[in-house]
Amino acid sequence: MPFMAKQRPTKGQHCFVLVTGGSLEESKEALAIAETDGRLFCTVGVHPTRCREFEEGGDPEKHYRSLLSLAREGIQKGKVVAIGECGLDYDRLHFCPSEIQKKYFAKQFELACATKLPMFLHMRAAADDFCEIVDRNKDRFAAGVAHSFTGSAEDRDKLLSFSNIFIGVNGCSLKTSENLDVVRGIPLERMMIETDSPYCEIKSTHAGIGYVKTLWPSKKKEKYDPESTIKGRNEPCLVHQVLEVVAGCKGIDDIGQLSKTLYHNTCRVFFPQDLDTTADALLTGSLTPAE
């Protein structure tokens, strides 16, 4: 789940990638992956479609404590930077009913409160219940991002009513002209961009494709080439295309300044202690990003 990541031939921007946990076991795997590279960080949490796992072992509190222990371990290692991916997904109730989703979405605010970490949030076709739970717990977390946002203008405005929630935009956020209208209404100071790799790429049928200027060669995975992307796979470098669509639909000419602003937003949430100074220097132009 890259934010402002450019890992292919382009230079001149900082890069970090969040490896997202969707269950206890996936969170363990995410931490192990994050430890392999200095640019990788991760989350610990349970996706709404996996929330049955809290009860499957017969002891929800024990499951919670395991998540908390893992999060604290990852914080000590400098790798866990958020709680999540957690939230509500009413498009996939066949995986987990809404009542269980709501119960353990609320429970994960306890993780954020105990660890003082921001939240990496998922909201799909559930804006009313999602915002009601966030409102009840708004003092238990410092900040968060509702990632891969595909909601309506009304949903957008509900999220923006929370001063500590940002909205994450990727290819799935840019499919239709209505989606682009919604994105136009997200203030830059409340936006992040992402890929949700390996999913949510910008496709040729998407309304935003007309704003895409940067392309990479692609090859089938059987013909792997380090200078090419894998055909059909959304890769971290393609976050630059999301940046271009946001700039295009908002009528922004200075794409470099836009990227710095969005990068700054991301640092504010996920790296408030370590990277704020760097982000501020990037915004003022007093620091040259590492190549």
Side-chain angles (χ1 to χ4, degrees):
M1 157 49 153
F3 285 84
M4 290 312 305
K6 292 174 84 175
Q7 293 186 337
R8 291 249 177 219
T10 30
K11 298 180 179 181
Q13 287 197 12
H14 282 274
C15 162
F16 60 87
V17 176
L18 297 190
V19 184
T20 53
S23 66
L24 175 58
E25 288 306 310
E26 278 189 6
S27 297
K28 292 176 181 177
E29 293 171 3
L31 177 56
I33 292 170
E35 290 184 79
T36 67
D37 191 294
R39 298 166 296 181
L40 302 181
F41 301 88
C42 67
T43 72
V44 168
V46 182
H47 190 280
T49 61
R50 318 280 186 80
C51 279
R52 288 181 187 270
E53 74 173 46
F54 276 93
E55 300 182 350
E56 287 172 346
D59 191 342
E61 279 302 315
K62 181 180 178 181
H63 200 75
Y64 167 82
R65 291 193 299 271
S66 295
L67 289 163
L68 179 58
S69 177
L70 180 64
R72 285 174 169 164
E73 175 190 346
I75 291 168
Q76 289 180 342
K77 293 177 176 179
K79 287 297 182 179
V80 172
V81 297
I83 297 300
E85 175 178 357
C86 57
L88 300 176
D89 190 326
Y90 289 178
D91 277 343
R92 299 175 180 86
L93 292 174
H94 52 288
F95 289 120
C96 186
S98 61
E99 290 307 310
I100 292 179
Q101 288 191 33
K102 288 189 289 185
K103 181 177 181 179
Y104 293 107
F105 176 33
K107 183 68 175 177
Q108 291 181 79
F109 285 92
E110 294 182 25
L111 287 173
C113 186
T115 59
K116 309 303 180 187
L117 288 177
M119 299 193 76
F120 186 67
L121 298 165
H122 178 104
M123 185 185 82
R124 191 75 73 233
D128 288 343
D129 286 348
F130 180 96
C131 291
E132 190 273 329
I133 292 171
V134 170
D135 188 56
R136 282 194 279 116
N137 293 278
K138 61 187 176 184
D139 296 326
R140 306 183 82 181
F141 71 109
V145 56
H147 98 107
S148 192
F149 180 73
T150 59
S152 65
E154 182 181 4
D155 295 342
R156 173 201 65 203
D157 293 342
K158 287 178 181 177
L159 290 176
L160 292 174
S161 71
F162 299 101
S163 61
N164 58 346
I165 289 185
F166 291 71
I167 297 177
V169 175
N170 60 30
C172 286
S173 313
L174 307 168
K175 287 183 177 181
T176 68
S177 58
E178 290 79 11
N179 290 152
L180 297 184
D181 285 340
V182 171
V183 169
R184 288 186 186 99
I186 303 175
L188 292 182
E189 64 272 16
R190 299 288 298 281
M191 182 187 291
M192 296 183 195
I193 61 172
E194 55 172 321
T195 59
D196 207 16
S197 172
Y199 315 109
C200 296
E201 73 274 24
I202 298 174
K203 298 181 178 180
S204 60
T205 55
H206 288 183
I209 192 67
Y211 296 114
V212 171
K213 299 177 181 178
T214 304
L215 302 172
W216 282 263
S218 64
K219 294 184 179 181
K220 293 181 179 179
K221 61 182 181 180
E222 294 81 9
K223 298 181 179 180
Y224 174 73
D225 177 350
E227 297 301 317
S228 300
T229 62
I230 300 297
K231 193 169 185 177
R233 184 172 76 184
N234 194 16
E235 297 199 20
C237 63
L238 298 178
V239 74
H240 191 68
Q241 293 183 341
V242 180
L243 177 67
E244 290 174 338
V245 177
V246 170
C249 77
K250 281 183 165 286
I252 297 171
D253 295 325
D254 191 345
I255 197 168
Q257 183 60 41
L258 173 62
S259 71
K260 291 177 182 179
T261 299
L262 299 176
Y263 178 75
H264 178 275
N265 294 344
T266 310
C267 290
R268 287 285 187 194
V269 172
F270 296 114
F271 304 97
Q273 303 302 321
D274 297 331
L275 292 186
D276 259 3
T277 301
T278 300
D280 286 334
L282 277 169
L283 278 179
T284 62
S286 60
L287 179 68
T288 301
E291 295 187 350

